[in-house]
Amino acid sequence: MQTKKKGPILSIHNLNVWYGDNQILDSLSFEVQPRQITALIGPANCGKSTLVRCFNRLNDFTPNFRFNGEILFNGKDMYKKKTDVTAIRKKIGMVFRKPEPFRCSIYENVAYGARIAGINQASQLDAVVQKSLQRSGLWDEVEPILHGNPEQLSIGQQQRLCIARALTVEPEILIFDEPCGELDPIETVKIENLMRDLRNDFTLIFVTNKRRQAARVSDSAGFLYCGELIEFGSTEKIFTNPQDTRTEQYVTGRLG
Amino acid sequence: MAIFSMTRPELRKKIALQGIAFIIVGAAFIFLWNTLKKTQAANIQTPSSSRISGTLPSLLSDLNLILPISLLAVLFGVAFAFYLEEWLPTTSKVRSFIESQVAFFVEIPSLLYGLLAITVLFSYADVSKEIGTPPIQNINEAGLAAIPLQHNIAMFYAETLVFIFMVIPVAIKTTQEALRSVATPIRESAYVLGANHWQVLANRVVPLALPRILAGGCRAISRSLAVAALLIGVHIPGTRGIPDRFMLFLGGALLLSTISSFLIEIYVPATARHG
């Protein structure tokens, strides 16, 4: 488990991102504090996903991706040459909007991360799988069908399976890219409670376009609009006393 | 694809069902084999009175000629497609060049490649002189035709040319399409767990793409068999050189296939990219 650090775990300085000639993000700067839930809110197509995909270098696969600026992870520039990208991705996990279980059993889905990390003994794998599933609150539901097909699970359960899968590699930061975008309200509540539990052990970055959800769950929040970070601060401040008129309009529902 | 999403009982059931199908097909094959053996040379006339005739030796000769090199060609094509699709960036000029060439060669009918091969055979080994008395008269102990060395070399050239231009492009194209069929989220959800490129390929992409890759390989090999069928047709006793009508046909077909492959190259990728 990660030791508590005083400084920010992730700091972004003057980040610019282009796809070809199209500028997606325009000089963003903010800091993510450890063991907190940081929400990034904003309307669709404002660059939220592009931003979080910069944090684990998933944008490297996007053709025409250009990057300018600095992202420090634990004080180290993660875009420096000779950076071990897979090591960074192990430390910074991610859960996508649409749950995408691998086409193998539930057990193998969860065990895959551990296998990649080099754990191959059956007893160790069993322990890791059980721990991750318990943490994501899925153990009681899937224990009898552990070697069954994940497609028989509901979409909310599949999403929690994906969270369990991300937990096996013991990341420091866990990015949730609109995890409730496809879920019904009951499953959404389960995921939100799960995120509150996970805050004790992980740093969470949470992308959403639902204002109320961000207000319920997060500790600090940033409002993105058309590629610019309009405002960043504690959730309370953003939602009760915003400095920028656009933020006020967005959180009160008059914009976006 | 479905085999990887199955649980064990489902898999067992599937294997049992396929076992039944396998037995039925096997029985049909044995029946067919016996019937073919009985027909002997009644319908299939070899050019001269040779000591052996019938389906089996011809079949074995065909397979002996085609299988080893076509397996090699398919392996090479698959490996090359992996390199193109997984290691060369989409913006690479080399990649777009090779892809357009491949698209061209895939469109050309296999018939033309057979004629290409026969041209090489005629010009390098002068097979035409011996067409009345083909080398099939010299039979070795294995029952296969012993082919003179000079012909062997010419055949090697002919085969190599045919396979470079015919089998490898098909293998490349189908493998690339198989790799593209694996959705990006599946790759990404493995990458975010810290898997490297090789692990993602070996654990996630190849198991899903394998059925399509194998189907593509079969398609490529069956294309080479089609050429063999053509060679039998052109191998008319007493003919010297390639008949004029074949040359005429070759020209016309080449023109048509060029036009069609250009049309496909222009329209299909454009719509596929935006789709």
Side-chain angles (χ1 to χ4, degrees), chain B residues 64-104:
Chain B
N64 186 33
L65 203 69
I66 283 165
L67 269 187
I69 197 165
S70 56
L71 282 178
L72 270 179
V74 166
L75 276 180
F76 177 81
V78 168
F80 196 74
F82 267 85
Y83 173 67
L84 275 185
E85 191 62 32
E86 298 290 333
W87 275 274
L88 279 182
T90 41
T91 47
S92 157
K93 279 181 185 162
V94 179
R95 178 169 164 175
S96 61
F97 174 75
I98 294 173
E99 277 177 355
S100 61
Q101 298 309 305
V102 164
F104 175 76

Side-chain angles (χ1 to χ4, degrees), chain B residues 205-249:
Chain B
V205 177
V206 171
L208 290 177
L210 196 61
R212 281 165 189 245
I213 294 174
L214 290 179
C218 288
R219 218 183 107 194
I221 292 178
S222 70
R223 239 189 145 204
S224 67
L225 285 167
V227 166
L230 172 90
L231 291 183
I232 293 167
V234 179
H235 227 267
I236 304 156
T239 326
R240 283 169 186 274
I242 302 171
D244 286 346
R245 62 175 187 278
F246 272 119
M247 292 307 285
L248 204 67
F249 181 77

Side-chain angles (χ1 to χ4, degrees), chain A residues 211 223 225 230-231 237-239 241-256:
Chain A
R211 315 167 185 89
F223 172 54
Y225 189 65
I230 306 292
E231 201 168 343
K237 194 176 144 232
I238 293 273
F239 280 91
N241 186 22
Q243 302 297 307
D244 196 286
T245 48
R246 281 171 292 183
T247 317
E248 192 192 343
Q249 284 175 341
Y250 187 75
V251 297
T252 51
R254 275 179 281 154
L255 175 75

